[in-house]
Amino acid sequence: MNKQQLNNALHVGGTLENALTGKYTLNATSVVEEAMQLTKKNFWSFLPAVLFLSAVNVALFMVVLSVLLDSPRELMGAFVGKTVMTDDLLASGRIALFASTVLSAPIYAGASLMGLSHAIGFRTKPRHIVKGMAFAMAVTLGMCFVSTLQSIGNQILPLLGMFLGVTFSMTTLLICEKRLRPVEAMVVSFRAITKKLIPLSLVYIVIAVLFVFSYATAGIALIWALPFMFNVKGVLYREMFGVGIEVTVAEEGDDDSSSGGGNNEVFNA
């Protein structure tokens, strides 16, 4: 199919330099409100992607747990109070959780990129969840480093683990969008977030409350909480670091466009 295209590079939001010096504005209420609107607007197209991510996480968790234990039911029974939670069961659960988090990193990256697309005004399709596979090695290493440090922090003091989780939360998007190396992305995320730790903490508290509510509803509320979380991260990233956009004006419809025909703008992460 022949197309006539005009490509331009645009930049939306903050800059890497301003993020590192704290020269960016961030209002927790505005971020939450915008993320709510984005979640509502893109809910049905985003939901299959986050459900796929959840299914991959659960599947990996169960596979690793099956390797570590005679039966995953041992941990499940202890978790609901039917049997005693031993140190071995607890350790197995932690290892399985760590492994599933790290191994699903490329899919997590895809969901993060979809949230970022929403934040800059582009629609997504469920198949975009696999876009993170282009950065599979880097995001897996980054997730491994972050999860390891967070796990150590939790062992020392739970509050420290939470702090590290927040300060390294932009690592994946920095790897994918800015093409930073894993350790470099972690350092940049840490430096930028600690410049505005209070408003960012307020935003993450809202996310935490939603996840606690999801637990109280037997996971049903996760249907909203997960897309919301990724949209929040997209808005935060845009305001902090900015996003480079390739705008393609095509004479005919583009498969990855936000609409079916006419001139379209496409975000290629």
Side-chain angles (χ1 to χ4, degrees):
M1 184 180 293
N2 295 322
K3 298 179 182 179
Q4 294 180 355
Q5 297 181 336
L6 176 61
N7 295 331
N8 299 284
L10 298 178
H11 187 86
V12 177
T15 65
L16 187 60
E17 294 74 17
N18 286 343
L20 290 173
T21 56
K23 295 179 180 178
Y24 63 92
T25 57
L26 200 63
N27 183 284
T29 302
S30 298
V31 169
V32 170
E33 289 178 349
E34 182 177 355
M36 286 287 189
Q37 291 301 316
L38 290 174
T39 303
K40 181 179 179 180
K41 179 180 179 181
N42 300 283
F43 182 75
W44 293 112
S45 62
F46 199 14
L47 183 60
V50 294
L51 290 179
F52 177 71
L53 171 61
S54 300
V56 169
N57 264 297
V58 172
L60 288 170
F61 180 83
M62 297 303 290
V63 168
V64 176
L65 205 58
S66 297
V67 173
L68 297 173
L69 300 173
D70 293 333
S71 172
R73 292 181 180 179
E74 295 180 48
L75 180 63
M76 303 306 163
F79 185 75
V80 298
K82 291 183 177 180
T83 58
V84 177
M85 178 68 77
T86 65
D87 290 340
D88 288 343
L89 287 176
L90 190 59
S92 296
R94 286 173 175 168
I95 293 172
L97 181 61
F98 176 87
S100 63
T101 300
V102 172
L103 294 175
S104 63
I107 307 300
Y108 179 88
S112 298
L113 287 170
M114 291 176 74
L116 182 58
S117 295
H118 301 156
I120 57 177
F122 294 96
R123 291 185 179 276
T124 58
K125 297 179 180 180
R127 68 173 182 270
H128 292 163
I129 190 70
V130 301
K131 282 194 171 185
M133 296 303 295
F135 313 94
M137 182 63 72
V139 295
T140 300
L141 284 174
M143 188 68 77
C144 182
F145 295 154
V146 170
S147 296
T148 298
L149 289 176
Q150 192 173 3
S151 179
I152 294 172
N154 283 326
Q155 294 298 313
I156 298 172
L157 183 68
L159 190 60
L160 176 59
M162 293 172 59
F163 170 77
L164 294 174
V166 170
T167 53
F168 290 135
S169 61
M170 294 297 157
T171 299
T172 296
L173 280 174
L174 285 166
I175 292 172
C176 297
E177 200 275 327
K178 301 296 185 205
R179 308 301 199 263
L180 300 182
R181 292 184 293 272
V183 174
E184 185 181 10
M186 291 171 63
V187 172
V188 169
S189 177
F190 184 89
R191 288 179 57 188
I193 288 178
T194 51
K195 300 294 183 182
K196 301 283 185 179
L197 189 58
I198 293 178
L200 279 162
S201 295
L202 293 175
V203 173
Y204 279 100
I205 286 173
V206 172
I207 295 175
V209 169
L210 279 176
F211 274 82
V212 170
F213 179 71
S214 298
Y215 177 77
T217 59
I220 295 175
L222 283 175
I223 292 174
W224 177 269
L226 283 172
F228 173 74
M229 179 189 73
F230 286 110
N231 285 326
V232 164
K233 292 185 67 175
V235 174
L236 289 175
Y237 185 92
R238 182 199 67 203
E239 294 302 303
M240 294 171 65
F241 303 102
V243 185
I245 305 173
E246 178 184 328
V247 178
T248 302
V249 181
E251 193 172 65
E252 299 181 33
D254 191 300
D255 289 341
D256 284 336
S257 64
S258 59
S259 59
N263 292 341
N264 301 291
E265 295 181 347
V266 182
F267 170 51
N268 292 320

